[in-house]
Amino acid sequence: HATLFRSVLARRPHVSGGRLGGDHKVLPALCDKLWGEQILAGLGIEESTLDWVPLHHARFLDDAGRVAEGNSRQPFAWLVRRGPEEGTLDFAMARRARELGVRVHTGQPLAPDRADVVATGLRRVDGLAVEEMFRTAAGNRVDVILDEDLAPGGYGYLFIHEGEATLGIAALGSYRDLGRRLDVARERFEALGEFDQQNTRSAAHGMNFCLPGTALEDGRPCVGEAAGFQDFLFGLGLRMAVVSGQLSARALAEDLDYDGLWRGALQERMHTSLVDRWLYERGAVRRWLMWRMATRDLQELLNDLQRHHWSKQLLLPWIRRFRSCDCEPPSTKAKEARG
């Protein structure tokens, strides 16, 4: 899986968002302190410059073939496109940076000693997703498969919006036959409603989660998955990547404690998501969602699922003891070993 992931990265052009191919990503609008549109407002990005859409409806399929439909009054998430093209989040962020006077250099690597912020991505692979992006004449839809046999520790997904589709399968810990599993997921989604595929392109993405004692490497802030910032329940790290980038800029510009900033904004959700992940892998989350979805607002249901609660706080030390999630930046480990 690591060889596959490296080969995909190597084919991407050296531009902002270049390692992504226009595929859809989910920016959750749930129990976090900042939601999708609030994050963009804080960056000064105009919504009109983005190809993004609020999500109010989704269908969930379980391992027994049952289908549950969820609806919400407020968006439970926003669907955004990633990549180097106009309309993607990466393009909008790069343009906003230039408007503020930032010089964005692409096409050649930056020497590590010249970097103020470490944003190098994955330090290890805790989860892997394989995807196909394509054009389709099918209508808009959001479908998710929750099936431990098909996607161990993960899920299958199909997003279609205005003729652009992303079909994928994500797994944690077991990455064998992901291509075949993606074909099975496609068949199950087609049983809910057929869709055609035109101009299909493929991609693979890794996921990294850890609970750092510090997110500083040689005094420099680490952001996104370079620090292990991830929501471990469903592997949605986009919000934490953007927020940690904002916090690193504040720390540098205002001479603030970066570790204190990210702990205040992200650590509680990361701790809770570790407990949520433990419950998910035992089937509790899937059964609870399928049972309650017909009678609850989907956003409120997902909020309740991910909410920080005293019972989760009690479980956290026990889960951390038996699941190795603690980490430090590599340079810090190396210094301690030499010391």
Side-chain angles (χ1 to χ4, degrees), residues 15-25 40 43 45-52 79-96 164 201 238:
V15 295
S16 299
R19 77 177 183 90
L20 298 159
D23 47 328
H24 290 98
K25 297 297 179 186
L40 295 182
L43 292 171
I45 295 176
E46 296 182 8
E47 296 182 21
S48 61
T49 65
L50 285 177
D51 296 334
W52 75 328
L79 204 58
V80 298
R81 283 202 308 122
R82 301 291 311 278
E85 306 90 5
E86 188 167 0
T88 64
L89 178 62
D90 307 86
F91 186 93
M93 291 180 68
R95 178 164 57 189
R96 177 59 178 157
E164 293 284 347
R201 56 199 187 278
L238 181 55

Side-chain angles (χ1 to χ4, degrees), residues 20 38 103 117 125 167-168 194 268 271 339:
L20 298 159
Q38 295 170 322
R103 289 187 298 168
V117 176
V125 177
L167 167 70
E194 293 186 358
E268 182 180 282
H271 284 172

Side-chain angles (χ1 to χ4, degrees), residues 107-255:
Q108 60 183 3
L110 180 68
D113 60 356
R114 293 185 57 201
D116 296 311
V117 176
V118 179
T120 50
L122 297 172
R123 293 204 182 276
R124 66 187 189 198
V125 177
D126 296 313
L128 187 68
V130 294
E131 294 181 335
E132 291 180 354
M133 291 77 69
F134 51 91
R135 293 286 302 172
T136 182
N140 296 349
R141 58 196 277 192
V142 175
D143 295 334
V144 180
I145 298 175
L146 304 177
D147 184 340
E148 185 66 19
D149 292 331
L150 178 65
Y155 48 91
Y157 50 95
L158 173 65
F159 308 135
I160 300 178
H161 177 65
E162 301 299 328
E164 293 284 347
T166 299
L167 167 70
I169 192 163
L172 271 72
S174 176
Y175 311 125
R176 295 186 60 184
D177 302 324
L178 279 185
R180 180 186 62 80
R181 294 172 188 269
L182 183 64
D183 290 335
V184 175
R186 186 192 343 267
E187 293 174 0
R188 294 187 62 180
F189 287 133
E190 286 181 331
L192 289 180
E194 293 186 358
F195 54 90
D196 60 310
Q197 293 191 215
Q198 307 166 29
N199 302 322
T200 301
R201 56 199 187 278
S202 301
H205 307 291
M207 186 268 278
N208 168 215
F209 172 85
C210 67
L211 299 173
T214 177
L216 293 169
E217 181 178 319
D218 295 328
R220 299 172 300 176
C222 298
V223 303
E225 288 182 310
F229 294 148
Q230 185 79 237
D231 189 306
F232 203 29
L233 174 57
F234 293 126
L236 305 176
L238 181 55
R239 190 195 80 91
M240 292 191 180
V242 174
V243 170
S244 61
Q246 287 179 286
L247 296 178
S248 71
R250 279 194 60 202
L252 293 171
E254 302 174 28
D255 194 24

